[in-house]
Amino acid sequence: MIIKHFTDNDLYKFTMQYGVVSLYPSDIVKYKFTNRGSNKFPKNFAKELRKEIDEMANLKLTDEEYQFMKEKCYYLPQSYLDFLRGFRFDPSEIKINEIDDKIEVEIEGFWYRTILWEVPLMALISELNFKMTGEKVLSKEERIEKADSKMKLYQQLGIKVADFGTRRRYSFENQDTIVNTLNKYSKSTFVGTSNVYLAMKYKTTPIGTHAHEWFMFHAAKYGYKMANKVALENWVKVYRGDLGIALSDTFTTEVFFRDFDTLYAKLFDGVRHDSGSPLEFADKTIKHYEKLRINPLSKTIVFSDGLDPEMVKTIVNYCKGRIGMSFGIGTNFTNDVGVKPLNMVIKLKAVKGCGGKEWTEVVKLSDNPGKHTGDKIAIKLAKDVLDIK
């Protein structure tokens, strides 16, 4: 069994789930797996994946996990944690097809339930793939040495770093090893991990707020022009100022900043960069805060898109003294083992409102056109409505 712990998942899935339970308990959604890198999977991969998914039905929140979340995730009420105690994954929500060396995966069901599948399922696909292909990787000592050398650089740069590597990790064992290595550095350098279970194991901080699906859902519900505003408004309604890093690129950064007015710019602690040029994003963000008469140094950009030491160093040199910075590093921490990581995503595909009969397709329009997701017709409609050239 590859996924052995209920909280072997990213924090933002739980924080969003509480938002969904609170506001949208009756809405039904679909998610779709996209194999961006056209990876060829081993024979019988779908069969083995199904076995692993079925095993996840036995996972449940332990008393230790409950107590940890109660203490560290103070923004989640006890009523929600009690709900989690009774929650069980339902494997029937996932459909898998294998066509030659490709797989198709779709998730469908109530949003408040299916929202927890994405991260562990991606981690499962990645680990199972490497387990079945048996590719040779670096030794544990070599992997620790690489992570250690990166952290020494980040410590010298005087920056805050978090592990964001659950989804495309080489294996759970490797992420465990990496987080253990990072955790030996001071709390002013290593600030935590997105993985709730590993945060508990290593007594560090679980980190995360929301993902693209929060904004994508609101676009289906309220239209593209209202999506950012209503999504931010509802986040504030649920968390009352906690978890204040806003994701900016669901419908491009340009559109986001149209909606990120003085109220939100003052209320949120900062924004997260997840696509496009990080340096251009920094310029746009600083300019936007200055236009609103807000000191950029009082705010933070969380950089989280495909970071490696060289890119981090470039960003720090460019942004130092101009705006606050923090770095969420994923694959370059947890899958830097000598193999090519899988280039894959699982994204929200469509939404069916409470009592509705028709599906509404959703899209993501990142700052990198190659990372757009969704139906071509829906993408064109969204671009037209939002006046994106």
Side-chain angles (χ1 to χ4, degrees):
M1 185 175 177
I2 290 174
I3 306 293
K4 297 177 182 177
H5 310 283
F6 182 80
T7 56
D8 181 12
N9 205 331
D10 280 347
L11 178 66
Y12 70 15
K13 301 309 293 190
F14 295 111
T15 54
M16 286 192 297
Q17 186 186 46
Y18 173 56
V20 176
V21 168
S22 302
L23 302 175
Y24 303 110
S26 302
D27 287 275
I28 295 169
V29 300
K30 281 183 188 174
Y31 294 85
K32 183 182 179 183
F33 169 77
T34 301
N35 182 8
R36 281 179 177 163
S38 300
N39 182 72
K40 295 180 179 181
F41 290 96
K43 190 177 180 182
N44 295 323
F45 185 83
K47 182 181 177 183
E48 294 304 313
L49 180 60
R50 172 53 68 187
K51 284 181 188 175
E52 291 287 345
I53 290 168
D54 289 346
E55 289 280 0
M56 287 181 64
N58 299 314
L59 296 176
K60 60 182 180 180
L61 191 74
T62 65
D63 289 343
E64 185 184 12
E65 289 169 322
Y66 178 90
Q67 290 301 327
F68 174 77
M69 292 185 77
K70 186 177 179 181
E71 177 188 345
K72 284 286 190 178
C73 306
Y74 54 87
Y75 35 79
L76 296 173
Q78 187 168 331
S79 58
Y80 169 68
L81 298 181
D82 289 342
F83 159 80
L84 279 188
R85 269 186 160 160
F87 186 94
R88 297 294 181 273
F89 284 99
D90 180 359
S92 70
E93 292 166 344
I94 298 182
K95 294 175 183 173
I96 310 169
N97 288 318
E98 186 169 1
I99 304 166
D100 298 324
D101 54 10
K102 305 294 182 200
I103 60 164
E104 295 176 345
V105 183
E106 276 203 356
I107 307 164
E108 182 179 329
F110 286 106
W111 192 24
Y112 81 89
R113 293 192 47 80
T114 54
I115 197 167
L116 290 190
W117 277 116
E118 176 202 350
V119 173
L121 183 54
M122 286 180 68
L124 184 52
I125 289 170
S126 181
E127 182 164 353
L128 184 61
N129 173 73
F130 292 119
K131 190 176 180 181
M132 291 180 72
T133 56
E135 293 181 67
K136 187 178 179 182
V137 298
L138 300 174
S139 68
K140 185 174 181 179
E141 291 72 24
E142 288 173 314
R143 287 179 269 148
I144 291 172
E145 189 178 336
K146 287 190 84 171
D148 198 44
S149 67
K150 291 171 189 174
M151 284 303 289
K152 284 176 181 173
L153 169 65
Y154 300 148
Q155 189 175 49
Q156 288 171 5
L157 291 172
I159 59 173
K160 296 176 181 178
V161 174
D163 157 53
F164 278 13
T166 305
R167 295 182 303 157
R168 298 183 187 92
R169 67 193 183 195
Y170 172 73
S171 67
F172 171 79
E173 179 274 330
N174 189 56
Q175 187 178 17
D176 187 305
T177 297
I178 297 302
V179 172
N180 185 28
T181 303
L182 308 186
N183 201 41
K184 293 172 184 174
Y185 287 79
S186 70
K187 289 184 179 179
S188 60
T189 301
F190 179 61
V191 295
T193 172
S194 61
N195 188 292
V196 178
Y197 177 79
L198 292 175
M200 178 185 75
K201 182 174 180 179
Y202 292 106
K203 296 180 174 57
T204 188
T205 304
I207 292 177
T209 54
H210 48 241
H212 297 106
E213 68 181 283
W214 184 256
F215 296 85
M216 293 163 77
F217 173 87
H218 284 86
K221 197 87 170 171
Y222 301 101
Y224 294 114
K225 286 194 173 180
M226 293 299 295
N228 283 325
K229 284 186 177 180
V230 180
L232 290 170
E233 219 167 87
N234 280 337
W235 194 255
V236 172
K237 186 185 294 184
V238 173
Y239 286 107
R240 311 296 298 168
D242 284 322
L243 303 177
I245 297 293
L247 184 57
S248 58
D249 71 332
T250 308
F251 307 111
T252 73
T253 294
E254 184 182 344
V255 172
F256 176 81
F257 281 140
R258 287 182 209 161
D259 300 323
F260 199 60
D261 61 17
T262 305
L263 173 65
Y264 298 125
K266 285 187 174 181
L267 185 58
F268 281 84
D269 301 318
V271 293
R272 179 158 73 91
H273 168 263
D274 198 50
S275 66
S277 165
L279 306 188
E280 287 180 18
F281 178 81
D283 285 338
K284 288 178 183 177
T285 304
I286 291 166
K287 186 177 178 181
H288 185 72
Y289 280 129
E290 288 176 341
K291 188 176 97 176
L292 298 177
R293 297 178 179 82
I294 296 170
N295 182 359
L297 286 169
S298 69
K299 299 296 178 178
T300 297
I301 298 176
V302 178
F303 293 95
S304 64
D305 180 34
L307 299 173
D308 59 26
E310 200 55 45
M311 179 54 73
V312 170
K313 193 174 179 181
T314 299
I315 293 169
V316 172
N317 289 336
Y318 192 77
C319 296
K320 196 170 184 179
R322 301 176 67 205
I323 193 165
M325 290 174 281
S326 187
F327 296 83
I329 301 176
T331 310
N332 192 256
F333 268 151
T334 63
N335 206 340
D336 187 13
V337 300
V339 297
K340 184 181 178 182
L342 299 189
N343 184 0
M344 58 175 176
V345 292
I346 293 176
K347 291 293 181 188
L348 199 65
K349 182 178 186 293
V351 173
K352 188 189 288 185
C354 175
K357 295 181 181 179
E358 301 297 323
W359 289 100
T360 301
E361 294 281 333
V362 297
V363 302
K364 171 179 169 272
L365 306 176
S366 83
D367 289 335
N368 177 356
K371 294 173 78 173
H372 288 352
T373 62
D375 177 79
K376 287 182 180 179
I377 296 173
I379 287 174
K380 185 181 183 307
L381 174 64
K383 283 183 171 182
D384 289 344
V385 170
L386 296 171
D387 193 27
I388 297 172
K389 301 294 187 290

